[in-house]
Amino acid sequence: MPNLPRKHLFDLPEGMIYLDGNSLGPLPRAVQGELASVVADQWGGHLIKGWNLDGWMDQPRRVGNRIAGLIGAPDGSVVMGDTLSIKVYQALSAAVQMRPDRRVILSDSGNFPSDLYIAQGLVQHLDRGHELRIVAPEDVADAITDEVAAVMITQVDYRTGRMHDMADITARAQAAGAVMIWDLAHSAGAVPVDLAGSGCEFAVGCTYKYLNGGPGSPAFIYIRPDIVDQAQPALAGWMGHDAPFAFEQGYRPAPDIERMRVGTPPVLQMSVLETALSVWDGVDMAELRAASVALCDQFIAEVETACPQLELASPRDAAQRGSQVSFRFAHGYAAMQALIARDVIGDFRAPDVMRFGFTPLYVDAADVTRAVQILAEVIQTRAYEDPAYQARGRVT
Ligand SMILES: *Cc1c(COP(=O)(O)O)cnc(C)c1O
């Protein structure tokens, strides 16, 4: 693996083993200097001129093109903005509207709650008899019937790391006449994605997880270019207008993906993301995937040897797994707190899942071995029984 890891590109605290890049990626070193310059030189020095002079207005598309390259999408098919929940809303509302005679939105019980809540809210708001049908992940393929308007699935399960077959499910959706929406929150920057090859209509994702854009960094949305003119924007903001600075009274959507822009983009956060994406320069996604599989397989093998009390919650077969590994443990919350206190950072998902993300850009085999040694010490000494590790914060 000549190209990986690239730890020197990240500002990781000394001694910390960071296995939570699936939740919030670490700080790329280039960001601080660049952000300081954007604040001082662009905002401070150029003020309003920055929109043209510093390319702020084109940034959502420019950064979108950079992301497109990581998810197998063509130039001009991805735009940035808002948060993932909002991009889910935009994609889903446009998809449902493209199938006016159908009433079912299909998703699965492994989907992230926000995606399901957004769908529930949309169904209520439309008030036209739509139904959100939630089936078990393994039943999705068979549940795609000709009642289904849209299939909305997150490719990699946030809890277990189980990964759906994007090409297969998309083909089934399209054979049934349904619109396919993929949520790539745990795929972008984690596994190779071939959006164009899959033929799906919509994809969305966030950038603060594997793409290291920082807390609150903007989300992305993809629409297959040949159908973009059929996608009616539910959030018809001025930045998605064909001519925002014509200040017309009536809304006319931009002819391309920019119709999914809503309002003024978060320039500072977008600049952080744009700089953060430089860590991907020259990274081959197939090489990244091979390294990720190796780290995950190593972790599973070492944990199962050292901590038989923990039960694997992720697929054992790497082909069915994203870039994270989860274990069930009755004292999972407290054990994770004990682990974090020892500078091994993972996280916990209710009711009993200890979750570990593997990000080959800055995690290597020695980190995995060290993390398992510390985990084994926590489990064997029952360090998790310390009352200090029982209290729960707002974010777990
Ligand atoms: C992380 C994640 C979200 C979070 O949405 P935000 O609007 O960015 O808070 C939504 N959906 C999925 C599938 C996720 O993994």
Side-chain angles (χ1 to χ4, degrees):
M1 303 289 160
N3 227 342
L4 302 168
R6 303 179 151 204
K7 272 188 199 186
H8 60 285
L9 298 178
F10 292 88
D11 205 352
L12 284 157
E14 188 68 36
M16 178 186 285
I17 300 176
Y18 194 67
L19 305 179
D20 213 4
N22 51 309
S23 203
L24 177 69
L27 173 65
R29 276 192 201 283
V31 164
Q32 282 201 46
E34 183 60 26
L35 180 59
S37 149
V38 170
V39 169
D41 306 333
Q42 298 187 10
W43 178 19
H46 300 155
L47 286 156
I48 195 74
K49 296 183 286 182
W51 288 105
N52 290 319
L53 202 56
D54 300 306
W56 295 347
M57 192 54 86
D58 301 327
Q59 206 174 24
R61 188 184 187 99
R62 193 169 69 235
V63 178
N65 282 338
R66 189 75 185 80
I67 304 249
L70 295 172
I71 55 176
D75 257 21
S77 65
V78 174
V79 77
M80 312 303 301
D82 316 298
T83 77
L84 176 51
S85 302
I86 288 172
K87 296 294 138 188
V88 168
Y89 184 84
Q90 289 180 295
L92 189 59
S93 56
V96 164
Q97 218 210 5
M98 287 164 68
R99 295 292 182 274
D101 50 347
R102 297 184 177 205
R103 288 289 176 272
V104 174
I105 297 165
L106 182 68
S107 194
D108 74 53
S109 54
N111 207 344
F112 190 77
S114 197
D115 297 38
L116 301 176
Y117 301 160
I118 289 283
Q120 289 164 21
L122 179 67
V123 163
Q124 267 187 7
H125 176 73
L126 288 173
D127 196 22
R128 295 209 311 266
H130 286 88
E131 171 199 345
L132 171 63
R133 193 171 287 169
I134 302 172
V135 301
E138 55 277 19
D139 296 334
V140 167
D142 290 335
I144 304 173
T145 64
D146 60 10
E147 295 170 283
V148 176
V151 182
M152 179 193 68
I153 301 286
T154 297
Q155 187 190 13
V156 177
D157 187 306
Y158 74 103
R159 240 192 237 116
T160 64
R162 175 202 38 73
M163 182 163 66
H164 279 299
D165 182 334
M166 179 176 283
D168 179 58
I169 291 186
T170 304
R172 284 171 186 258
Q174 296 185 336
V179 177
M180 185 72 225
I181 304 165
W182 284 105
D183 189 328
L184 304 178
H186 294 275
S187 308
V191 297
V193 176
D194 181 11
L195 271 190
S198 82
C200 71
E201 282 85 354
F202 294 90
V204 293
C206 53
T207 60
Y208 47 80
K209 293 172 181 163
Y210 292 91
L211 296 176
N212 315 309
S217 63
F220 64 85
I221 183 165
Y222 159 88
I223 305 181
R224 208 179 69 206
D226 63 299
I227 55 134
V228 74
D229 59 340
Q230 298 165 40
Q232 283 306 317
L235 303 172
W238 72 307
M239 289 284 163
H241 194 283
D242 188 23
F245 285 87
F247 297 107
E248 296 167 13
Q249 291 236 318
Y251 180 76
R252 289 187 294 115
D256 57 9
I257 187 66
E258 299 216 28
R259 64 177 51 200
M260 291 292 137
R261 291 177 66 164
V262 181
T264 303
V267 173
L268 299 182
Q269 188 82 65
M270 197 89 74
S271 298
V272 168
L273 172 62
E274 188 166 16
T275 305
L277 290 172
S278 65
V279 301
W280 295 93
D281 289 346
V283 172
D284 172 47
M285 286 308 287
E287 189 186 319
L288 181 100
R289 174 65 172 161
S292 149
V293 166
L295 294 175
C296 291
D297 283 346
Q298 179 195 345
F299 184 73
I300 292 172
E302 292 184 4
V303 171
E304 289 188 330
T305 303
C307 313
Q309 300 88 335
L310 272 57
E311 182 200 343
L312 183 65
S314 299
R316 194 173 290 282
D317 175 7
Q320 293 176 37
R321 199 174 62 213
S323 202
Q324 66 169 73
V325 172
S326 300
F327 279 91
R328 291 188 198 287
F329 180 52
H331 308 282
Y333 180 80
M336 184 55 77
Q337 294 307 303
L339 210 51
I340 292 170
R342 289 158 178 76
D343 249 0
V344 177
I345 315 292
D347 62 19
F348 172 80
R349 288 293 174 263
D352 59 356
V353 172
M354 299 177 74
R355 191 170 73 151
F356 303 89
F358 293 91
T359 45
L361 293 183
Y362 51 86
V363 173
D364 61 24
D367 295 326
V368 170
T369 297
R370 180 89 190 110
V372 176
Q373 282 168 356
I374 296 170
L375 174 63
E377 182 251 332
V378 164
I379 302 295
Q380 281 152 19
T381 63
R382 303 174 79 93
Y384 52 82
E385 287 178 349
D386 186 326
Y389 301 137
Q390 317 300 318
R392 299 208 180 192
R394 273 192 78 175
V395 174
T396 61

